[in-house]
Amino acid sequence: MSNATLSGKKILLGVTGSIAAYKVATLTRLLIREGASVRVIMTPAAARFISPLTLSTLSRHEVLIELMDEGNWNNHVALGLWADLMVIAPLTANTLAAMATGACDNLLLAVYLSARCPVLVAPAMDEDMWRHPATQRNLEQLRSDGVEWIPVGHGELASGLVGPGRMAEPEAILAVVQERLRKQGSLTGKKVLITAGPTWEPLDPVRFIGNRSSGKMGIALAKEALDRGATVVLVLGPTKVEVPEGDIQLIRVQTAEEMYAAVADLFPETDIAVFAAAVADYRPAERADRKIKRKAGELTLQLVPNPDIAALMGKQKTPRQLTIGFALETNDELTHAREKMEKKQLDMIVLNSLNDSGAGFEADTNKITILPAGNNPEEYQLKSKSAVATDIWDSIFRYFSDRLYT
Ligand SMILES: Cc1cc2nc3c(=O)[nH]c(=O)nc-3n(C[C@H](O)[C@H](O)[C@H](O)COP(=O)(O)O)c2cc1C
């Protein structure tokens, strides 16, 4: 039996005009040896660094360079849909900048913009180019667009300088590709339910009690679960943040009671439920039919408790189901998060603290600590919410794959 790790996997290999392009011959050979189908796309500049003939021979397919070629056009959309993974190695500062802004003046960029698969990049450039704030800004943009990048190496550069900027070695890129594709299928066949966003609890036809949750963290989790092969339902409170069109089943709700009804309905069929919504604990006891008018004196609102969705699902879950919760705390964070995890019978809780700048509501970044039940907390750096989503799913996989797959 073949033990090729990439058997049947379809990889688009994008090559740009860096001196490190010569290493792509080795990378292509390694990918093919592991059983992958590889299609190479080069920028016109890349073709001056390594011959398309070399890469077409190694990949066993014609290398594509031109968007429009002697009256023909290369179908970038079809290529973008074909692949399981797109790898751009080496990635120049120039193509990085184009990707960060959405520019599209060559075939490689058109395919990048059309690709529905995950994208990995391996930057390569001189130290000063690498350190330039524009490069770092563009990389950060890519990261928050969901592109994973492989760290550059430190060492001798083509310019003669010694420092960071070298493209990762082909063997290291292969290892990241293998890991990424292994993860990609890790939720195949699993049903994932995610709640996200705030709830609005109406006082009258125009006013409500709400909170500042944007839903961005839950949407990032839904996207990542989809990339890993899950069937995903997202129950989303009122937010203006857009959900990527496509395969996520979206159920929009307003109030905690509506969210509860949707979750209770879906939960029995769910393998993993992630409760990332900021659900109002209380709602007004009464909802006025008409707008409440100003009157002299005080107005007292009476509030009644909302259903505790995570706790109620925790009570009814079977040993084959996982429930993951979130805690946003302002003091004694770990203690409160642990208490919440036990009370709601969660398998894991993700803590973010309002004491960390850049974490929590509305921001595009988050800084989390993951507490898996019965294990030590894991503290993470401040990252984009899509990178945080990767960490959370990695942790779920690490701690619970036994339970999910037995
Ligand atoms: C000898 C040589 C080596 C180069 N190496 C790099 C490199 O490693 N990284 C980089 O970002 N640009 C490098 N460049 C500059 C790019 O080739 C240039 O920006 C080009 O426009 C990139 O086009 P592309 O991104 O469409 O492939 C190099 C240029 C030359 C002449």
Side-chain angles (χ1 to χ4, degrees), residues 235-247:
V235 181
L236 186 62
T239 170
K240 292 205 168 71
V241 176
E242 281 187 24
V243 178
E245 275 183 32
D247 298 324

Side-chain angles (χ1 to χ4, degrees), residues 113-125:
L113 288 176
S114 323
R116 293 221 185 135
C117 59
V119 180
L120 273 178
V121 297
M125 62 201 74

Side-chain angles (χ1 to χ4, degrees), residues 14-30:
V15 186
T16 68
S18 149
I19 193 74
Y22 77 92
K23 295 186 186 174
V24 173
T26 309
L27 178 61
T28 308
R29 211 169 45 78
L30 291 173

Side-chain angles (χ1 to χ4, degrees), residues 16-20 43 45-46 49 91-95 106 124-126 129:
T16 68
S18 149
I19 193 74
T43 60
F49 288 83
L91 173 69
T92 54
N94 177 58
T95 296
N106 64 37
M125 62 201 74
D126 220 40
M129 292 169 86

Side-chain angles (χ1 to χ4, degrees), residues 55 134 136 207 382 390:
L55 295 182
Q136 294 302 318
R207 303 184 183 96
L382 184 73
T390 303

Side-chain angles (χ1 to χ4, degrees), residues 121-154:
V121 297
M125 62 201 74
D126 220 40
E127 178 176 2
D128 296 320
M129 292 169 86
W130 172 254
R131 290 197 192 280
H132 198 283
T135 302
Q136 294 302 318
R137 212 167 42 236
N138 289 335
L139 277 168
E140 213 31 67
Q141 181 60 51
L142 246 56
R143 203 206 287 272
S144 69
D145 292 344
V147 173
E148 186 178 341
W149 49 275
I150 304 173
V152 292
H154 191 282

Side-chain angles (χ1 to χ4, degrees), residues 10 35 44 63 71 84 106 108 115 207 263 288 323-324 329 338 342 394:
K10 293 174 271 186
V63 167
D84 295 313
N106 64 37
L108 190 148
R207 303 184 183 96
V263 170
T323 54
I324 320 291
E329 303 290 344
R338 273 210 186 86
E342 275 163 35
D394 281 353

